[in-house]
Amino acid sequence: MENFAEAIKLLFQIAQDTPDKIAFVDGERGNTTISALLHKASGVASLLRSKGIGKDKFIPIVLPNSADYISAEIGIWMTGNAAVHLGTSFPQERIDFIREDCEAPIIIDKSCIEEISDFDFPGTVENRLPSQPCALFYTSGSTGKPKGVLHSDKSFLDGVTRLDIGKIKEKDDVYGCIAPFYFIAVTKIYNCLLNGYAIYLVGDQAKKDINSLQNYFRENKITTTFLSPSVLRHFDATGTSLRVVFTGSERVSDIFSKDFRIEVKYGQTETASAVLSFVIDKPYSNTPIGKPIPGLEAIVIDENGNEVQMGDIGELCLKGITPCEYFKDKQKTENLLRNGLFHTGDLVKQLPSGDFLFFDRMDWMIKVNGQRVDPSEVEATINKMPGVKRSVVKGFTSQQTNRQYLCAFYTSAEDISEEEMRTFVGKSLPEYMIPAYFERVEDFPLNANGKIDRTKLQMSTESVSHANYVAPTNNIEALLCNCMQQTLGITQVGIDDDFVRLGGDSIRIMALQKKFNESKPADYKGILSNKIINEGRTPRKIATLLNSNNDIELESQEDYPLNDMQKFYFLISSLKPKAPIGNLPMLYKLSESVDLEKLSKAIEKAVNNHLAFKIRLRYDKKDSWWKDLILRNRLLTICGLLLNGVKIRQRAADSFIYHQAIEEMKESDLLKDVHKLIVPYKLIDSPLFRIRLIRTEKAPYLFIDMNHIIFDGGSKDVFFNDIEKAYQGEDLEPEKWTILHAVTAEKKFQQSEYNLKARDWYKEQFKDVNWGVFPKPDLNGTKKNFKVKSLRLSLSEQKIKELAKNKSCSVNVLVTSAFAFLLGKTVGNINHVPLCLAYNAREDYRTDNTIGMLSRGIFLNASWSDNMSINDYIDGIGKYILKGMDNCFLSMDSFKKVGIKIQKVMPFLYQGERTMSPIIGGNPSQIIDISPNPKDGMPMAVHFFITDGQPELMVFYNSDLYSDRFVERFIGDYTKVLHGFANCNFLDEIKLDIR
């Protein structure tokens, strides 16, 4: 292709052949198909024509990285004009200068995109010439003003085509785009579009936080991307799908990976894309930039234009490249292309292998975070500041981190604060062009010719070490100071030194996160986040934020509210006070060798170690008048609860000390009707647990019945671990995070801005949901007779885990995905299936030893298309579940307000691993099944267990609606779905019996 008219017509042909083909995947703005991309491009073209804008104009784009940006550029080219690449982060002063310099008749920004309405599609594509101006990029200029680099259709397309050397080669490869579109790296976007590959746009937050970036790559299975050396050096690729990473834009040092291929790409704005390439085969202190891409030739010349001998340093020049030009600067263009060579201005030498090694810029130009900075442009801005006589900006390289940063030296009559200078410079220049240090000098050193000798300018000790040093006061502050010193490459950081003012940009923030999280004490679980660094900035404030984020201040008060799940169990128990709805009963036959007296003491220690067992419920004082009514009118009380007219509170009975008795009973009396052990709880002012230790003539038994208001599945593991530790004589770890801490944390969330975001997210996800999605009954009964059936699956635990590993997901995500798909097929191929999932909400390390009702419900809206790949479907469910976890503390009241009909959501609860022979008193015990059949509930609910290494489904169902045979076939089809996940590529290949 010689011009973009041909390229655009090819894109329209792709859109015609595959209109639904995804062009951009954008988590913040939604996905964009190739046809939607070109529809909007046609709209931009129509808009320009409607405003009377003719050909050969320069039209700036001021939009964020998005599909709209590319649509705008294509639309500009369709009208025979050239695009000027700008970004929303540019200061207004810089945008105004560029618009005036290129004489732009219009700027394509958000308002223009919103103005697009009716237009012809496909839009008319004006003929273009290979030499026609195509794309104008403004970079740092030596005159103090931005310098325009202008590419023709031919030079820009040559850059796009050269990227085929490193293009995506596998059909399942996924390209993750990080670079801003206002850089020349945008050529990669067109390379992907013309080759038919979707581009995944990495969001702003993921770019700033190394952990978020790594998670984004894992979740989206990114296989190919460009990472700057500064990011790549700290990038943990564990769990990602990376195959190829391109890097460059600055010196590459000490980088290598055995897990994926790393290719150094050397190029400039003037070359439109990479012109040299090198595959890193081992770590290098200075990695070669490689050999010329086929079709190009590289030579090294001295200052007189003569080619040097191999191994000598000189300027890198190229042959065979389509020339660009400098906008409105003929002399500079002629200098760039003098003597028939393309002059890069970079000092290199050629190695015996034929590869080239980069040393420095000939004109002191440097790169900060991979972005080129001309010191003279920064100097010109600083020189405008009142009080500054003259300035010189010089680049330095940290010996520890090998990163480049700027220091501004200036002369003035009086000192100017660093904060004032940063603020002034920041009004005109992007963040990456703001010097990390500002140092006042009496005068500048001169060379023999009377010019400033930059080589003699060195940073003073004061500017690096800081005079007002304050030493750390604790271990975390000391660790933060030490990590900052290593990250910034300086000798001393005090607790009041500002990390950002010391040069802590987004790349250094990533490095600091990694160093701290790797170096922190094993028992310190706090995670240093991008948010905490930006908010705190100094070691003192960051340490305070870390502590405050890891601790909830539990104010001393008489009583506390219930969390939402506690309210839920209180309400359903109140609806049927004679039914053990909130009970969680367990009966264990113990080994005869268990010492019951010793076990009773162990149980006492375990109970007294946890605040949950002291919890008593009460009516709010102002609602105490309901206390009498509950005895006379239960319906009135329930109405009060439903309308939030009655509030239930909880308090800790601090004086309560538990003592465990040992009962004597005949085994026949115990076992003849074990369900009599299960008694509904009196919820107000009474203990919410029962433990009975029973000695019979044959074997001892342990009966435990916990109320869900104070106990969940995670609590069971904590409680039995404590009993066993105490039985073995070990000291119990005090409860760090009590049930009341959890309640306080939930309320804090619900009163924050995150609750609003969670509500908006759920509202968006469930706006078009069909409620009441349960399997279509095979019986016509009208009564409510409930049964429980447990059936083991034909797949082993090992097979399940291997399948989850192959799909790059957890077992929970795998089995949930399978069930959602089965349910959708069972109800008639509905492709929007709501489910209620269980989440233990114990991601925080502080809950490791907590007993309480911490579990939450997550509402999932599963969706798919029949031709979707199984991998994409499972990946989507996994992302949805993670998002649900992020928003899990949304209040029940908020769920109702966003339209979620909780009573009509089918439960699928992943319960994880369990054993039928738990260790109690140092010996295996035997579980006696005493679970009562439910008397009421949903038409069907399903639990997934891995019991002693064998996966099984436990189905609770209304036997007046579903026959036993139906349930058995339903579970059989569930197994088929899992087999289909293992053996098929697409969802429509999975065949089931039930329709």
Side-chain angles (χ1 to χ4, degrees):
M1 290 179 289
E2 294 289 316
N3 62 69
F4 259 99
E6 297 176 12
I8 294 170
K9 290 175 183 177
L10 176 58
L11 290 176
F12 273 110
Q13 184 61 51
I14 293 173
Q16 183 176 338
D17 295 340
T18 54
D20 296 329
K21 191 177 190 61
I22 298 297
F24 287 93
V25 177
D26 187 339
E28 297 179 0
R29 301 172 184 85
N31 298 348
T32 302
T33 63
I34 185 66
S35 57
L37 181 80
L38 296 177
H39 267 281
K40 190 161 286 187
S42 297
V44 171
S46 293
L47 177 68
L48 295 177
R49 292 185 179 111
S50 71
K51 294 182 178 295
I53 297 173
K55 299 181 181 180
D56 298 323
K57 305 297 186 200
F58 293 92
I59 301 178
I61 305 172
V62 183
L63 291 169
N65 263 32
S66 61
D68 283 352
Y69 199 110
I70 302 304
S71 290
E73 184 161 42
I74 295 173
I76 290 169
W77 289 335
M78 289 172 66
T79 58
N81 291 301
V84 183
H85 290 250
L86 303 182
T88 53
S89 63
F90 278 41
Q92 190 60 46
E93 181 180 333
R94 191 177 181 89
I95 293 174
D96 292 341
F97 168 82
I98 292 172
R99 179 173 187 176
E100 182 179 350
D101 187 57
C102 70
E103 303 175 43
I106 189 174
I107 287 180
I108 303 296
D109 56 13
K110 181 180 178 182
S111 63
C112 284
I113 296 297
E114 292 173 349
E115 191 178 342
I116 296 172
S117 55
D118 296 329
F119 53 86
D120 296 328
F121 182 83
T124 304
V125 181
E126 301 288 346
N127 291 328
R128 299 182 64 92
L129 298 174
S131 59
Q132 189 166 351
C134 171
L136 180 57
F137 297 86
Y138 277 86
T139 66
S140 186
S142 59
T143 63
K145 297 292 185 181
K147 172 185 64 181
V149 176
L150 178 60
H151 281 282
S152 65
D153 279 30
K154 180 69 165 62
S155 64
F156 194 84
L157 274 171
D158 279 356
V160 172
T161 305
R162 278 200 302 276
L163 292 171
D164 285 341
I165 300 298
K167 73 177 181 182
I168 306 172
K169 293 184 172 65
E170 302 293 336
K171 66 177 182 179
D172 61 340
D173 269 342
V174 176
Y175 180 71
C177 178
I178 298 176
F181 287 176
Y182 54 81
F183 286 130
I184 197 66
V186 74
T187 51
K188 183 64 180 177
I189 300 300
Y190 292 102
N191 180 268
C192 287
L193 291 176
L194 290 167
N195 280 289
Y197 292 100
I199 299 106
Y200 281 63
L201 297 178
V202 181
D204 291 338
Q205 185 56 44
K207 294 177 187 178
K208 295 177 181 178
D209 188 313
I210 188 70
N211 294 318
S212 299
L213 183 64
Q214 291 161 181
N215 288 337
Y216 180 91
F217 274 50
R218 293 186 186 105
E219 293 169 3
N220 291 283
K221 295 182 172 58
I222 302 299
T223 62
T224 310
T225 191
F226 179 95
L227 295 177
S228 71
S230 301
V231 174
L232 186 54
R233 188 172 291 110
H234 304 291
F235 191 87
D236 180 5
T238 303
T240 68
S241 303
L242 281 174
R243 295 173 183 163
V244 181
V245 172
F246 304 122
T247 190
S249 77
E250 61 186 70
R251 183 176 296 180
V252 181
S253 301
D254 300 316
I255 290 176
F256 174 66
S257 175
K258 293 181 179 178
D259 299 324
F260 52 85
R261 188 170 79 252
I262 304 177
E263 295 185 15
V264 177
K265 297 294 184 182
Y266 169 86
Q268 301 176 337
T269 301
E270 289 85 346
T271 65
S273 68
V275 287
L276 277 76
S277 181
F278 180 79
V279 177
I280 300 180
D281 57 342
K282 64 179 181 179
Y284 295 85
S285 58
N286 183 8
T287 306
I289 56 176
K291 300 181 179 72
I293 286 173
L296 301 179
E297 181 183 351
I299 62 172
V300 182
I301 63 172
D302 61 22
E303 57 186 10
N304 297 317
N306 299 316
E307 192 169 350
V308 303
Q309 294 183 357
M310 182 176 289
D312 289 345
I313 296 175
E315 182 189 10
L316 176 65
C317 294
L318 301 169
K319 293 181 180 180
I321 192 167
T322 303
C324 65
E325 63 181 82
Y326 289 109
F327 189 59
K328 294 183 178 180
D329 196 333
K330 183 178 180 180
Q331 182 176 354
K332 193 172 182 67
T333 301
E334 291 175 350
N335 188 54
L336 174 72
L337 306 171
R338 65 188 184 276
N339 301 322
L341 297 174
F342 181 96
H343 292 256
T344 67
D346 285 337
L347 295 174
V348 302
K349 74 174 182 181
Q350 190 172 20
L351 303 172
S353 63
D355 294 301
F356 290 86
L357 197 63
F358 170 82
F359 285 94
D360 214 333
R361 286 291 298 166
M362 294 178 65
D363 54 5
W364 293 95
M365 191 177 291
I366 64 172
K367 288 190 175 182
V368 177
N369 294 342
Q371 302 178 40
R372 189 167 72 183
V373 177
D374 191 327
S376 62
E377 183 177 358
V378 186
E379 292 164 3
T381 301
I382 296 173
N383 291 341
K384 295 176 183 178
M385 184 172 186
V388 173
K389 296 179 180 179
R390 190 175 185 182
S391 66
V392 173
V393 174
K394 182 179 176 180
F396 292 88
T397 301
S398 166
Q399 293 183 354
Q400 286 183 291
T401 65
N402 206 38
R403 293 188 68 260
Q404 291 187 311
Y405 56 88
L406 299 175
C407 178
F409 301 89
Y410 67 95
T411 57
S412 63
E414 297 179 354
D415 278 334
I416 304 173
S417 74
E418 195 169 301
E419 185 175 353
E420 287 180 89
M421 299 200 76
R422 284 183 181 277
T423 301
F424 182 85
V425 174
K427 292 178 180 178
S428 302
L429 301 177
E431 177 189 354
Y432 69 90
M433 296 179 70
I434 301 175
Y437 304 98
F438 293 85
E439 184 168 336
R440 180 172 175 258
V441 295
E442 292 298 324
D443 213 340
F444 295 108
L446 304 177
N447 59 23
N449 296 324
K451 296 181 179 181
I452 295 176
D453 190 346
R454 292 174 177 262
T455 61
K456 293 181 180 179
L457 280 172
Q458 299 298 325
M459 296 171 61
S460 66
T461 304
E462 287 77 14
S463 69
V464 178
S465 300
H466 305 279
N468 300 321
Y469 173 76
V470 181
T473 62
N474 57 52
N475 292 338
I476 297 301
E477 289 180 350
L479 177 58
L480 284 165
C481 289
N482 183 56
C483 290
M484 285 186 185
Q485 288 166 192
Q486 295 180 54
T487 300
L488 297 168
I490 58 181
T491 56
Q492 190 178 63
V493 172
I495 60 172
D496 292 324
D497 287 331
D498 190 313
F499 179 70
V500 175
R501 292 180 65 193
L502 291 175
D505 52 26
S506 59
I507 303 298
R508 290 183 175 94
I509 285 176
M510 294 181 183
L512 178 62
Q513 284 178 287
K514 184 176 182 181
K515 282 189 180 297
F516 179 84
N517 292 328
E518 287 179 347
S519 307
K520 65 186 180 183
D523 59 346
Y524 187 80
K525 303 295 185 180
I527 301 297
L528 183 61
S529 68
N530 175 65
K531 179 181 177 182
I532 287 177
I533 296 172
N534 280 320
E535 186 176 342
R537 295 177 56 142
T538 69
R540 186 199 298 267
K541 292 179 181 178
I542 291 174
T544 300
L545 287 172
L546 277 169
N547 292 332
S548 65
N549 271 269
N550 289 324
D551 292 311
I552 291 290
E553 292 291 337
L554 193 62
E555 296 181 5
S556 178
Q557 54 194 61
E558 186 176 353
D559 55 24
Y560 299 81
L562 273 63
N563 68 26
D564 280 320
M565 291 304 294
Q566 290 178 308
K567 289 178 186 176
F568 172 76
Y569 278 106
F570 185 90
L571 176 60
I572 62 174
S573 298
S574 299
L575 288 170
K576 292 186 176 293
K578 295 182 180 181
I581 293 176
N583 296 53
L584 187 62
M586 297 163 272
L587 179 62
Y588 301 91
K589 183 177 182 179
L590 307 181
S591 168
E592 294 182 42
S593 58
V594 172
D595 185 330
L596 290 193
E597 283 70 21
K598 187 177 176 181
L599 181 59
S600 70
K601 296 300 181 184
I603 293 172
E604 289 175 359
K605 288 182 179 179
V607 170
N608 292 320
N609 192 46
H610 296 279
L611 188 69
F613 297 112
K614 297 178 184 288
I615 290 296
R616 304 292 183 268
L617 304 185
R618 62 193 295 182
Y619 291 102
D620 192 299
K621 284 185 176 180
K622 66 177 181 288
D623 295 323
S624 60
W625 57 278
W626 284 90
K627 189 173 183 179
D628 296 329
L629 287 178
I630 191 173
L631 299 175
R632 299 195 302 268
N633 195 328
R634 180 171 57 86
L635 178 61
L636 189 61
T637 300
I638 292 168
C639 290
L641 291 169
L642 291 171
L643 296 173
N644 288 325
V646 177
K647 292 182 172 60
I648 307 299
R649 309 279 291 183
Q650 58 185 319
R651 63 183 177 86
D654 294 328
S655 61
F656 173 76
I657 301 295
Y658 183 69
H659 297 286
Q660 181 62 55
I662 301 175
E663 306 174 45
E664 303 286 343
M665 186 183 296
K666 289 185 178 180
E667 187 178 70
S668 58
D669 291 339
L670 173 66
L671 299 180
K672 67 181 178 182
D673 191 358
V674 293
H675 290 100
K676 287 186 177 181
L677 295 170
I678 308 168
V679 180
Y681 277 95
K682 177 185 176 184
L683 298 178
I684 301 297
D685 292 324
S686 297
L688 296 173
F689 72 100
R690 301 188 185 101
I691 303 175
R692 297 177 67 178
L693 193 54
I694 303 169
R695 180 186 285 122
T696 73
E697 74 280 9
K698 294 184 178 179
Y701 288 82
L702 174 63
F703 171 72
I704 296 176
D705 188 6
M706 301 292 180
N707 192 289
H708 262 311
I709 291 173
I710 65 163
F711 206 84
D712 61 9
S715 301
K716 180 181 176 182
D717 294 334
V718 173
F719 186 53
F720 278 93
N721 285 339
D722 270 8
I723 291 176
E724 198 57 27
K725 284 182 180 179
Y727 186 87
Q728 300 300 334
E730 300 178 25
D731 292 333
L732 300 186
E733 180 183 355
E735 196 173 37
K736 302 184 289 287
W737 183 262
T738 69
I739 187 174
L740 297 183
H741 283 90
V743 168
T744 304
E746 179 176 307
K747 294 303 175 186
K748 181 179 178 182
F749 174 89
Q750 293 176 354
Q751 293 168 2
S752 72
E753 61 179 299
Y754 298 107
N755 191 59
L756 294 176
K757 292 179 180 178
R759 188 175 65 190
D760 290 344
W761 183 79
Y762 269 112
K763 187 174 182 179
E764 175 65 24
Q765 298 303 317
F766 285 87
K767 61 183 180 182
D768 298 318
V769 170
N770 295 313
W771 297 102
V773 178
F774 291 88
K776 185 177 180 180
D778 65 328
L779 302 177
N780 297 317
T782 57
K783 297 180 180 179
K784 291 184 177 181
N785 296 310
F786 287 87
K787 296 177 68 174
V788 180
K789 183 177 286 291
S790 293
L791 291 174
R792 295 198 167 189
L793 306 183
S794 60
L795 283 82
S796 66
E797 176 186 15
Q798 182 181 353
K799 289 290 185 182
I800 293 281
K801 290 183 175 180
E802 286 178 357
L803 180 56
K805 183 178 180 180
N806 290 337
K807 298 300 180 183
S808 300
C809 67
S810 66
V811 172
N812 184 6
V813 170
L814 176 73
V815 299
T816 302
S817 301
F819 187 80
F821 179 75
L822 172 62
L823 182 58
K825 288 294 185 182
T826 303
V827 298
N829 205 25
I830 293 177
N831 292 342
H832 287 277
V833 178
L835 287 178
C836 180
L837 313 179
Y839 171 44
N840 66 20
R842 291 174 181 263
E843 296 296 327
D844 192 314
Y845 77 98
R846 294 166 296 183
T847 62
D848 289 349
N849 194 37
T850 301
I851 286 180
M853 171 42 68
L854 305 187
S855 295
R856 302 289 304 180
I858 296 177
F859 295 96
L860 167 71
N861 179 19
S863 62
W864 64 88
S865 59
D866 282 337
N867 60 355
M868 179 181 285
S869 75
I870 292 171
N871 288 349
D872 286 346
Y873 167 69
I874 295 175
D875 186 53
I877 297 293
K879 291 175 185 175
Y880 204 118
I881 291 174
L882 287 175
K883 195 69 176 179
M885 290 178 180
D886 289 341
N887 296 306
C888 73
F889 288 109
L890 189 67
S891 67
M892 290 291 179
D893 185 54
S894 293
F895 278 129
K896 296 175 187 175
K897 288 180 179 178
V898 301
I900 294 180
K901 301 179 181 180
I902 299 172
Q903 72 277 15
K904 291 188 177 181
V905 183
M906 170 116 179
F908 177 80
L909 308 179
Y910 173 76
Q911 304 285 15
E913 299 179 21
R914 66 174 182 171
T915 177
M916 301 303 288
S917 304
I919 301 297
I920 301 177
N923 293 274
S925 61
Q926 177 186 344
I927 293 179
I928 307 296
D929 184 12
I930 59 171
S931 300
N933 284 343
K935 304 300 182 184
D936 201 352
M938 306 284 187
M940 183 181 288
V942 179
H943 296 239
F944 183 99
F945 293 93
I946 297 180
T947 304
D948 292 324
Q950 182 61 49
E952 67 174 335
L953 287 187
M954 181 182 290
V955 184
F956 298 79
Y957 60 101
N958 184 345
S959 58
D960 262 30
L961 297 177
Y962 302 108
S963 66
D964 292 349
R965 184 172 179 272
F966 177 93
V967 173
E968 291 170 2
R969 288 181 62 193
F970 187 74
I971 294 176
D973 265 339
Y974 180 74
T975 303
K976 289 182 181 179
V977 174
L978 289 172
H979 280 295
F981 281 2
N983 301 315
C984 302
N985 294 318
F986 295 92
L987 292 173
D988 59 4
E989 297 174 6
I990 301 175
K991 307 302 179 185
L992 305 175
D993 290 337
I994 298 177
R995 292 298 181 194

